Amino acid sequence: MRTSALLSSVLLSAALLAQAPAPSLGDRVKAERPAVEQLLADLKHSEALKRAEALLPATRPAFDKKDNSTLVQSCSANLDMAEALRLAAEAADASGAWEKALEYAKAAKSLANECYAGVKEPFTQTVAYYKQAGLRAQQVLDENDARIKELKGKSALDPGERQELDLALGVEKEVVDCAKWMKFFQTYLDVTKREDGAYDPLVKVMEEKLKSEADQIADYKAGKGEKTKWVEAVISTPAYLERFPEKAGKAQWLNRLAFLDPENRKVQHQLDVLNGRAVATPAKKGKKS
């Protein structure tokens, strides 16, 4: 289950929240993801990226630490935007815009980190408060168990007994409420802690891809570190493209080469061949002996 879906289920306990407007960014990301993934599968990478980026708000959400209610709303908004950034990063990666993918991944990581840092201390204290309050209330019930059972067993109660039973019922409700809110805030802590490190792998992958590429370009002595000369050498060597058995892998690799050198005709030709817009150039036959 994705984070936004889990938080949505938790937020059904909406005593902390104002009446929810429709639909949230998380809802829109969840609704759009299948369409974006289908565009990627169809090798329509630029369309997928454009659709994913259309979901991104112009500014990151403010993180309001005024109280538990604003913390919940701020955290939900942060994690929703992080999910939108993840989708944009995936589309940018496939489109060859690796730098942009890394930028989106880092932004998502920052939002998730801020969310957990913002709720860790106050929500830990809130969980502890409800735990202690629930234990105290349960102790009262345990100490008066016999009397409460006696009152509940009576068919008629005098005013004093009615008041006594009502107080006991209030304590029983307090036990239930404390357990509910303890679970609510503990769930939030668990989710935000998990998300705190959820974007680290994505950032690491993009950083490693960019570093590996930069090293290869720098090591290509014939090109003196020029990326366009490196692209030309790569696209002229069939073994590079043959490393990718799947069409999607080939497309993503060619997208990256096209991003580095948009004017390279060989790269564009290979993309056209892959997408059925051109016919592959026949391999040259060796000379007969």
Side-chain angles (χ1 to χ4, degrees):
M1 182 182 291
R2 304 199 71 83
T3 301
S4 57
L6 178 56
L7 290 182
S8 295
S9 65
V10 173
L11 291 175
L12 289 175
S13 301
L16 292 180
L17 301 178
Q19 188 173 358
S24 69
L25 175 58
D27 294 330
R28 298 200 304 275
V29 172
K30 184 178 179 181
E32 282 289 289
R33 175 171 279 279
V36 172
E37 290 178 342
Q38 186 59 55
L39 287 170
L40 292 175
D42 294 339
L43 307 186
K44 298 178 180 178
H45 299 104
S46 59
E47 292 179 43
L49 179 56
K50 184 177 180 180
R51 190 156 182 168
E53 288 182 324
L55 291 166
L56 298 176
T59 58
R60 64 184 291 166
F63 203 91
D64 190 346
K65 300 180 180 180
K66 183 175 66 176
D67 53 39
N68 282 346
S69 177
T70 60
L71 281 171
V72 167
Q73 294 178 66
S74 297
C75 199
S76 182
N78 268 26
L79 294 184
D80 279 354
M81 185 166 179
E83 277 297 312
L85 285 162
R86 182 198 294 276
L87 184 61
E90 291 169 0
D93 179 18
S95 301
W98 292 0
E99 292 83 358
K100 180 179 284 189
L102 177 58
E103 177 187 342
Y104 288 150
K106 284 184 173 180
K109 172 180 165 61
S110 176
L111 287 167
N113 292 162
E114 182 178 9
C115 182
Y116 182 55
V119 303
K120 182 179 179 181
E121 183 177 349
F123 282 10
T124 298
Q125 293 176 352
T126 300
V127 168
Y129 166 79
Y130 281 115
K131 181 178 180 180
Q132 290 301 316
L135 289 173
R136 287 195 301 269
Q138 186 60 54
Q139 184 178 1
V140 170
L141 293 178
D142 292 342
E143 292 173 351
N144 295 276
D145 182 61
R147 178 57 176 165
I148 294 170
K149 287 179 179 177
E150 178 187 350
L151 292 171
K152 287 182 176 180
K154 288 189 174 185
S155 58
L157 299 173
D158 63 36
E161 290 174 329
R162 168 51 59 189
Q163 184 179 28
E164 191 178 353
L165 181 58
D166 286 345
L167 287 171
L169 294 174
V171 176
E172 288 181 350
K173 184 178 183 302
E174 184 179 353
V175 170
V176 173
D177 288 346
C178 285
K180 177 184 70 175
W181 290 117
M182 186 173 71
K183 180 180 179 181
F184 176 89
F185 288 104
Q186 186 59 57
T187 299
Y188 240 95
L189 279 172
D190 293 343
V191 170
T192 54
K193 182 178 181 179
R194 185 192 70 205
E195 291 301 296
D196 184 50
Y199 296 91
D200 292 352
L202 181 58
V203 171
K204 183 179 180 181
V205 165
M206 296 313 306
E207 287 179 337
E208 289 178 347
K209 287 172 70 169
L210 285 164
K211 183 180 185 305
S212 176
E213 178 185 85
D215 289 344
Q216 290 179 55
I217 294 172
D219 291 342
Y220 180 54
K221 304 303 181 184
K224 298 181 180 180
E226 293 184 24
K227 62 184 180 181
T228 55
K229 291 183 178 179
W230 177 78
V231 169
E232 177 65 23
V234 167
I235 199 62
S236 300
T237 308
Y240 277 94
L241 199 56
E242 290 168 2
R243 294 180 303 160
F244 304 96
E246 301 294 332
K247 190 175 181 180
K250 286 183 172 68
Q252 291 179 22
W253 176 242
L254 289 169
N255 283 340
R256 180 57 183 172
L257 296 181
F259 181 88
L260 293 173
D261 185 6
E263 303 302 320
N264 191 295
R265 294 184 178 181
K266 292 180 183 178
V267 174
Q268 292 300 325
H269 176 69
Q270 288 290 353
L271 280 169
D272 288 342
V273 169
L274 200 64
N275 287 282
R277 295 190 296 265
V279 178
T281 303
K284 294 181 179 180
K285 296 181 179 180
K287 294 182 178 180
K288 294 182 180 180
S289 54

